[in-house]
Amino acid sequence: MSRNHNKNNSDKRESLGITASKDEEFSEWYTQVIQKAGLADYTPVSGCIVFRPYSYAIWEKIQSFFDNKIKRSGVQNAYFPLLIPESLLNKEKEHVEGFSPEVAWVTHAGNSKLNEKLAIRPTSETIMYDSYRKWIRSYKDLPLRINQWNNVVRWEFKYAMPFMRTREFLWQEGHTAFATKEEADKEVLEILDYYAQIYEELLAIPVIKGRKTEKEKFAGADYTTSIEIFLPVGKGIQGATSHHLGQNFSKAFDISFSDKDCGKGYVWQNSWGITTRSIGILTIMHGDNKGLVLPPKIAPVQVVVVPIIFEKSKDKVIKNAQHIKKLLGKHSVILDDRTDYTSGFKFNEWELKGVPIRIEIGPKDLEKKQVILARRDTGDKKAVKILNLKKVVAETLMDIQESLFDKAKKSLDRSIVDIKDLKDFQRYASQEKMLRMKHCGNIKCEEAIKDNSGLKTLCIPFDQPEKVEGKCPHCGEPARYVVLFARSY
Amino acid sequence: MSRNHNKNNSDKRESLGITASKDEEFSEWYTQVIQKAGLADYTPVSGCIVFRPYSYAIWEKIQSFFDNKIKRSGVQNAYFPLLIPESLLNKEKEHVEGFSPEVAWVTHAGNSKLNEKLAIRPTSETIMYDSYRKWIRSYKDLPLRINQWNNVVRWEFKYAMPFMRTREFLWQEGHTAFATKEEADKEVLEILDYYAQIYEELLAIPVIKGRKTEKEKFAGADYTTSIEIFLPVGKGIQGATSHHLGQNFSKAFDISFSDKDCGKGYVWQNSWGITTRSIGILTIMHGDNKGLVLPPKIAPVQVVVVPIIFEKSKDKVIKNAQHIKKLLGKHSVILDDRTDYTSGFKFNEWELKGVPIRIEIGPKDLEKKQVILARRDTGDKKAVKILNLKKVVAETLMDIQESLFDKAKKSLDRSIVDIKDLKDFQRYASQEKMLRMKHCGNIKCEEAIKDNSGLKTLCIPFDQPEKVEGKCPHCGEPARYVVLFARSY
């Protein structure tokens, strides 16, 4: 990812605040927000970023939330090698075709050339399933449900965008094996639910659950389910995926087991993952022209207390600010008592970083036994009696979380248009909308739509009408299901 | 790491239990324990292992313990790129000389050759400090204290040994920058203390804290402090290191800041790390001929409840076993109610896995309102009234933790011999001991000792006599300090 050397923009970036409008100059806005809010930075490695502490803390919250869910469900964490021998990567045909154009290859160690080149994992199916073959012998070894939190590299040649598309990213990849397809099918949906909860409960982002079309499914899967999100920039994005791999890999890797009656069978497998792209989605979904806006449940800092310092009342104000920090101890609170910065500077900085609540305490407030509470999402400010502060802060945090979700939900609902015929389709295809329409399920029709309009299918939503009748508005063939089309990342 | 194809050994390995003696066939014992206890497995990638769920759970406990400590101290987690451009790696001379023979190089992506080859990080000083240069401008930006949990690759050509020496391993690397040397010096010791606590409190392993000699310090450091451990196989091993880098990197990377009086200065830096080698150390320190022995504080499973099942009393016994699992809810307890395995098989399996306490419940025990409690460390078995079980289990876990530490401490103390003269030295140099002796501090003398006897310095222990007088027993030059020599990993 090369730095943007546009002259006009580089002037703007010298300013501490965000100088680009989210609606009008989205790309510049995004670049400024991720850097100025301290989420990420560019590096000398093209396409790779630093996850700075502020974004990493968000990732840790996502990790902790999801890790608890899967552990309670019986999944265990492990760690498999970063490097995969070429011969192993080539074992499942569709899979290798999907990934090999983007593989980073290790060919040398020190001054020696390696006998066989090694791929940096773009995903770990092949290296993990080679072990699964050894570990799974009998029905007693099933189910095997393993997850790993790690880094992967996919050397994409498309324009990079921090969090959204980087050559190295962080994720978790769960890989499970079952004796029956039924158990596997059930787990696919269980995990998809957890992903939906990450987005809806933590990140305050409404999602659409569904199944990918044959064209868009994972390379090597029987079917792919996904969480789809529609961003306010008018583009869809995949938030996480949960795949059923059927027996494609178990046959290629010979992962078989003897059942109770001594028969032999191949295992049924799933894989599922969520990546640090979620941080980019969070940024774009809620951010505004002042910078980040973080839902309280994912915010590394929920409340910042800023004492308004005058020489005369300094000690008293700081003492009270410390008291308030303690009072709000169950939330994550920062007391910004830096003396080298003005209050105005601090207000802007914490707004840029999207901290949900700011509490200002000055000498005049103290006389009235109150503080000023400012909401990041609405910008509203009000005086609150210190006596009531604990309760008001807890309620306000909850309210911000809900308001952000509601706002995003309304925006999502407004973005969906129902397409009845070709005229409808042509009218909305060029707009920043999600087109909900019947479709023939024909890959050729889907490809034609993509070629003509740039629209791709996001998913076949689980939420389908009872009966799908009539024709595909695009090609006129009988409709099979309702599908969502949109421009997407 | 190629699998051992020795015929005799491969027969033994078919057995479920450990068939090698720790004292007599250590290498075979170790290979069996890490595989049969489910800690690790070999992979098709030479020198790289799978960290299976059981060892990864141990690593997660170490992570959680240390992560809490450093976060409370003000360190923040982040994530920097895996890949480092060759030109950047070459920036600090001593550093690159130390690492370049072991670097794995990425030269291609997809079908394209890269313009500049990329190193897989052997450690992240160079990639991180390139960012630090940009982020640090003023004293207000200091201290900067960042840590990352990640994977690194060092393509060693020596014989690999799971956990102890693998080409890829997991670790944390902390990298901090301060305005003054005093602050940096202080942090070096603070972190070293946390490492000592990991070993002594969690892993029940006594340590020796000290400073590395000039010969053994980190490539690019001003000085290196370390945690040294002496294993019952008669070898020393470095448990973790905390380095003061001085201004070596800040000058090479131009990391400077303006102070309050507008003067300019280079920052003072530290780096510090602990790796998954700790899991190997844990295994070797406490393990016995039945397999792993885990101290309760690090054990993923602290108590296993095994119901002794006869058809007649089955329901009652299982119901009571479930009750006991609940009763012990504050510990991590597994109820092994698998019906496909005999009790004997289960006993062996959990012993192999080193679970500190086993509780057996059979119909006859229930008549007496008791259970049988077996300790993994001593093998002792006793009947305990269910009424007292909660208390007895809590006490026994504490006692096991302490007993393992005490046993290891006694073994450590027995392993140290004080060397008074050359005769002493010659006598003990070939034994499996730690030689505590005065030393001249001369690199040539240290090298000569290594060449002649295979002994290396572990460290210059912090615990020094008030005055060091007399001569180096090896070369006769005036002694500078007391040092520990031993064979080591």
Side-chain angles (χ1 to χ4, degrees):
Chain A
M1 188 173 332
S2 69
R3 292 180 225 170
N4 190 331
H5 286 293
N6 183 310
K7 278 270 159 107
N8 295 327
N9 287 339
S10 73
D11 285 350
K12 286 186 184 176
R13 286 186 192 162
E14 287 306 305
S15 159
L16 293 169
I18 305 299
T19 58
S21 148
K22 187 182 178 190
D23 289 341
E24 287 156 32
E25 310 162 85
F26 171 72
S27 164
E28 172 63 20
W29 173 87
Y30 185 74
T31 306
Q32 287 194 18
V33 170
I34 62 117
Q35 288 185 276
K36 292 183 177 180
L39 290 176
D41 203 354
Y42 296 97
T43 72
V45 196
S46 164
C48 296
I49 61 168
V50 182
F51 295 82
R52 297 186 69 172
Y54 204 55
S55 67
Y56 200 81
I58 289 171
W59 184 237
E60 284 182 323
K61 288 203 169 203
I62 293 172
Q63 287 188 303
S64 155
F65 180 91
F66 186 73
D67 207 62
N68 280 332
K69 299 265 180 205
I70 59 174
K71 277 185 179 151
R72 236 179 295 153
S73 166
V75 176
Q76 295 184 299
N77 286 336
Y79 184 78
F80 287 74
L82 171 73
L83 301 171
I84 305 175
E86 186 180 21
S87 55
L88 204 58
L89 195 70
N90 289 344
K91 263 199 167 176
E92 211 282 343
K93 198 171 151 281
E94 282 185 35
H95 184 71
V96 68
E97 280 169 10
F99 285 103
S100 68
E102 297 176 357
V103 166
W105 292 105
V106 175
T107 57
H108 290 74
N111 292 316
S112 317
K113 193 173 177 207
L114 300 178
N115 290 330
E116 181 180 12
K117 61 182 182 174
L118 301 170
I120 299 186
R121 62 179 161 230
T123 178
S124 300
E125 275 77 3
T126 54
I127 186 82
M128 290 176 76
Y129 302 165
D130 185 66
S131 288
Y132 284 21
R133 176 181 52 77
K134 291 193 285 174
W135 298 342
I136 296 171
R137 298 278 161 94
S138 142
Y139 69 93
K140 295 180 199 170
D141 303 317
L142 296 174
L144 182 66
R145 300 175 73 202
I146 290 182
N147 175 66
Q148 55 176 342
W149 294 97
N150 61 21
N151 54 338
V152 289
V153 171
R154 296 179 187 174
W155 211 262
E156 296 201 50
F157 293 91
K158 278 187 256 178
Y159 177 68
M161 182 175 174
F163 302 116
M164 300 296 278
R165 191 189 301 117
T166 51
R167 285 176 171 170
E168 181 188 9
F169 57 85
L170 305 177
W171 74 344
Q172 59 64 224
E173 48 178 328
H175 295 265
T176 54
F178 298 88
T180 65
K181 181 170 172 8
E182 289 65 37
E183 289 169 274
D185 283 336
K186 203 177 143 202
E187 193 214 51
V188 165
L189 296 181
E190 178 198 348
I191 299 294
L192 198 71
D193 263 345
Y194 298 152
Y195 290 143
Q197 288 167 28
I198 289 176
Y199 280 103
E200 301 206 322
E201 290 175 22
L202 273 188
L203 309 187
I205 295 175
V207 302
I208 296 164
K209 288 197 248 178
R211 187 163 56 82
K212 290 281 185 187
T213 62
E214 283 301 297
K215 178 175 175 341
E216 297 293 336
K217 74 177 186 187
F218 177 69
D222 261 15
Y223 66 85
T224 288
T225 66
S226 75
I227 293 296
E228 299 291 331
I229 292 146
F230 197 71
L231 292 170
V233 287
K235 280 186 180 178
I237 185 157
Q238 180 176 298
T241 47
S242 182
H243 315 289
H244 177 54
L245 307 177
Q247 296 180 318
N248 301 330
F249 285 89
S250 64
K251 285 178 179 166
F253 284 82
D254 191 25
I255 314 175
S256 61
F257 67 101
S258 57
D259 62 26
K260 281 192 188 177
D261 314 317
C262 294
K264 270 263 176 191
Y266 290 104
V267 298
W268 297 88
Q269 291 182 271
N270 296 335
S271 73
W272 27 270
I274 186 168
T275 79
T276 40
R277 173 186 271 189
S278 50
I279 301 167
I281 296 174
L282 174 70
T283 302
I284 298 172
M285 183 58 77
H286 301 301
D288 65 18
N289 288 343
K290 288 182 169 179
L292 273 181
V293 177
L294 293 179
K297 285 191 185 167
I298 198 68
V301 181
Q302 295 177 312
V303 180
V304 60
V305 180
V306 182
I308 312 296
I309 295 174
F310 299 95
E311 204 43 48
K312 229 170 111 184
S313 51
K314 189 179 163 188
D315 290 350
K316 197 180 163 197
V317 166
I318 288 191
K319 211 179 127 194
N320 274 277
Q322 285 164 343
H323 163 71
I324 280 164
K325 180 177 192 274
K326 235 183 226 165
L327 185 76
L328 303 176
K330 75 164 190 166
H331 309 292
S332 30
V333 183
I334 277 193
L335 167 59
D336 187 354
D337 55 3
R338 292 177 293 175
T339 52
D340 304 312
Y341 296 92
T342 65
S343 302
F345 178 94
K346 292 177 184 178
F347 290 4
N348 289 335
E349 180 169 284
W350 295 110
E351 277 176 0
L352 186 53
K353 283 176 153 312
V355 173
I357 290 179
R358 178 180 74 234
I359 291 173
E360 310 164 14
I361 316 177
K364 283 187 187 159
D365 300 314
L366 280 184
E367 279 169 22
K368 297 184 208 159
K369 299 187 177 169
Q370 69 178 31
V371 299
I372 303 299
L373 184 151
R375 275 175 76 133
R376 175 63 182 91
D377 62 334
T378 57
D380 292 348
K381 286 173 77 159
K382 65 176 176 187
V384 179
K385 292 288 171 202
I386 294 176
L387 207 65
N388 302 329
L389 188 61
K390 206 169 152 179
K391 188 164 157 275
V392 173
V393 164
E395 285 168 358
T396 307
L397 287 173
M398 212 135 65
D399 191 59
I400 295 174
Q401 186 80 27
E402 283 169 19
S403 302
L404 286 173
F405 182 86
D406 289 346
K407 196 179 148 206
K409 183 73 172 71
K410 275 181 198 141
S411 158
L412 174 68
D413 292 343
R414 273 198 311 272
S415 304
I416 300 178
V417 286
D418 282 302
I419 303 299
K420 284 175 207 76
D421 50 31
L422 190 60
K423 216 175 109 192
D424 259 7
F425 179 81
Q426 283 160 340
R427 178 172 162 209
Y428 287 106
S430 59
Q431 296 186 20
E432 292 176 344
K433 296 288 184 188
M434 221 179 333
L435 283 63
R436 183 160 57 193
M437 63 185 243
K438 293 177 195 165
H439 190 251
C440 56
N442 209 314
I443 288 193
K444 282 203 177 154
C445 174
E446 200 177 327
E447 279 170 351
I449 290 177
K450 194 187 161 194
D451 292 344
N452 298 335
S453 65
L455 298 180
K456 292 202 292 189
T457 53
L458 301 181
C459 69
I460 305 158
F462 289 156
D463 184 13
Q464 292 278 320
E466 255 182 58
K467 263 192 179 178
V468 179
E469 291 171 328
K471 290 176 177 175
C472 169
H474 187 260
C475 71
E477 291 290 310
R480 274 182 58 200
Y481 42 63
V482 169
V483 72
L484 290 172
F485 274 98
R487 241 161 294 281
S488 70
Y489 278 99
Chain B
M1 189 173 334
S2 68
R3 293 182 222 169
N4 189 331
H5 286 293
N6 183 310
K7 278 270 160 104
N8 295 326
N9 287 337
S10 73
D11 286 350
K12 285 186 183 176
R13 288 190 191 158
E14 288 304 306
S15 159
L16 293 170
I18 306 297
T19 58
S21 150
K22 186 182 179 190
D23 289 341
E24 287 156 32
E25 310 162 83
F26 170 72
S27 163
E28 173 63 19
W29 173 87
Y30 185 74
T31 306
Q32 287 194 19
V33 170
I34 63 117
Q35 289 186 277
K36 292 183 177 180
L39 290 176
D41 203 354
Y42 297 96
T43 72
V45 196
S46 164
C48 296
I49 61 169
V50 181
F51 294 83
R52 295 186 70 171
Y54 204 54
S55 67
Y56 200 80
I58 290 171
W59 183 238
E60 285 182 323
K61 288 203 168 201
I62 293 173
Q63 288 189 302
S64 155
F65 180 91
F66 185 72
D67 207 61
N68 280 332
K69 300 265 179 205
I70 59 174
K71 278 185 178 152
R72 238 179 293 154
S73 166
V75 176
Q76 295 183 300
N77 286 335
Y79 185 77
F80 286 76
L82 171 74
L83 301 170
I84 305 175
E86 186 181 21
S87 54
L88 204 57
L89 195 71
N90 289 344
K91 264 201 168 174
E92 212 283 344
K93 197 171 152 283
E94 281 186 36
H95 184 71
V96 68
E97 280 169 10
F99 285 104
S100 67
E102 297 176 357
V103 166
W105 292 106
V106 175
T107 57
H108 291 73
N111 292 317
S112 317
K113 193 174 177 210
L114 300 178
N115 291 330
E116 180 180 11
K117 62 183 182 173
L118 301 170
I120 299 186
R121 62 178 163 231
T123 178
S124 301
E125 276 77 3
T126 54
I127 186 82
M128 290 176 76
Y129 301 166
D130 185 67
S131 288
Y132 283 22
R133 177 180 52 76
K134 291 193 284 174
W135 298 343
I136 296 172
R137 297 279 162 96
S138 143
Y139 69 95
K140 295 180 199 172
D141 303 318
L142 296 173
L144 181 66
R145 301 175 72 201
I146 291 182
N147 175 67
Q148 55 176 343
W149 294 97
N150 61 22
N151 54 337
V152 289
V153 172
R154 296 179 188 175
W155 211 262
E156 296 200 50
F157 293 91
K158 278 186 256 179
Y159 177 67
M161 182 177 174
F163 302 116
M164 300 297 276
R165 192 189 302 118
T166 51
R167 286 176 171 170
E168 181 188 9
F169 57 85
L170 305 178
W171 75 346
Q172 60 64 224
E173 48 178 328
H175 294 266
T176 54
F178 298 88
T180 65
K181 180 169 172 10
E182 289 65 37
E183 289 169 276
D185 284 337
K186 204 176 143 203
E187 193 213 50
V188 166
L189 297 181
E190 178 198 347
I191 299 294
L192 198 71
D193 263 345
Y194 299 152
Y195 291 143
Q197 287 167 28
I198 289 176
Y199 280 102
E200 300 206 322
E201 291 175 21
L202 272 187
L203 309 187
I205 295 175
V207 303
I208 296 165
K209 289 197 249 176
R211 187 161 56 82
K212 289 282 185 186
T213 61
E214 284 301 297
K215 179 174 173 345
E216 297 293 337
K217 74 178 187 187
F218 177 69
D222 261 15
Y223 66 85
T224 289
T225 66
S226 74
I227 293 297
E228 298 291 330
I229 292 145
F230 197 73
L231 292 171
V233 285
K235 281 186 181 177
I237 186 158
Q238 179 177 297
T241 47
S242 182
H243 316 289
H244 177 54
L245 308 177
Q247 297 180 317
N248 301 330
F249 285 89
S250 64
K251 285 178 179 166
F253 283 83
D254 191 24
I255 313 175
S256 62
F257 68 101
S258 56
D259 63 26
K260 280 192 188 177
D261 314 317
C262 294
K264 270 262 175 191
Y266 289 105
V267 298
W268 298 88
Q269 291 181 271
N270 296 335
S271 73
W272 27 269
I274 187 168
T275 78
T276 39
R277 174 186 271 188
S278 49
I279 301 167
I281 296 174
L282 173 70
T283 303
I284 299 171
M285 182 59 77
H286 302 301
D288 65 17
N289 288 342
K290 287 182 169 178
L292 272 182
V293 177
L294 292 179
K297 285 191 185 167
I298 198 69
V301 181
Q302 295 176 311
V303 180
V304 59
V305 180
V306 182
I308 313 296
I309 295 172
F310 299 96
E311 204 43 49
K312 231 171 111 183
S313 51
K314 189 179 162 186
D315 291 349
K316 197 181 164 198
V317 166
I318 288 191
K319 209 180 128 194
N320 273 276
Q322 285 164 341
H323 164 70
I324 280 165
K325 181 177 190 274
K326 235 185 225 164
L327 185 75
L328 302 176
K330 74 165 190 164
H331 309 291
S332 32
V333 183
I334 279 192
L335 167 59
D336 187 355
D337 55 3
R338 291 176 293 175
T339 52
D340 304 312
Y341 296 91
T342 65
S343 303
F345 178 93
K346 293 177 185 179
F347 290 4
N348 289 335
E349 181 170 283
W350 295 111
E351 277 176 0
L352 185 53
K353 285 177 154 309
V355 173
I357 290 179
R358 177 179 76 236
I359 291 173
E360 309 164 13
I361 316 177
K364 281 186 187 158
D365 300 313
L366 279 184
E367 279 168 24
K368 298 185 207 157
K369 298 188 179 169
Q370 68 178 34
V371 298
I372 303 299
L373 183 151
R375 275 174 76 133
R376 174 64 181 89
D377 61 335
T378 57
D380 292 349
K381 286 173 78 159
K382 63 178 178 186
V384 179
K385 292 288 171 202
I386 294 177
L387 207 65
N388 302 329
L389 189 61
K390 206 169 153 179
K391 187 163 157 277
V392 173
V393 164
E395 285 169 358
T396 308
L397 287 173
M398 210 134 66
D399 190 59
I400 295 174
Q401 185 80 27
E402 283 168 20
S403 301
L404 287 172
F405 182 86
D406 290 345
K407 196 180 150 204
K409 183 74 172 70
K410 276 181 197 141
S411 159
L412 173 68
D413 292 342
R414 272 198 311 271
S415 303
I416 300 178
V417 285
D418 282 301
I419 303 300
K420 282 176 207 75
D421 50 31
L422 190 60
K423 218 175 108 192
D424 259 8
F425 179 82
Q426 284 160 341
R427 178 172 163 209
Y428 289 106
S430 59
Q431 295 186 22
E432 290 176 346
K433 296 288 185 187
M434 222 180 330
L435 282 62
R436 183 160 58 192
M437 63 183 244
K438 293 177 197 166
H439 192 251
C440 56
N442 208 315
I443 289 193
K444 283 202 176 154
C445 175
E446 200 177 328
E447 280 170 351
I449 290 177
K450 194 186 161 193
D451 293 345
N452 299 335
S453 65
L455 299 181
K456 290 201 294 187
T457 53
L458 301 181
C459 69
I460 306 159
F462 289 156
D463 184 12
Q464 290 279 320
E466 256 181 57
K467 266 193 178 176
V468 179
E469 291 171 329
K471 291 177 175 174
C472 171
H474 187 260
C475 70
E477 291 293 308
R480 275 183 56 200
Y481 41 62
V482 169
V483 72
L484 290 172
F485 275 98
R487 242 161 292 280
S488 71
Y489 280 99

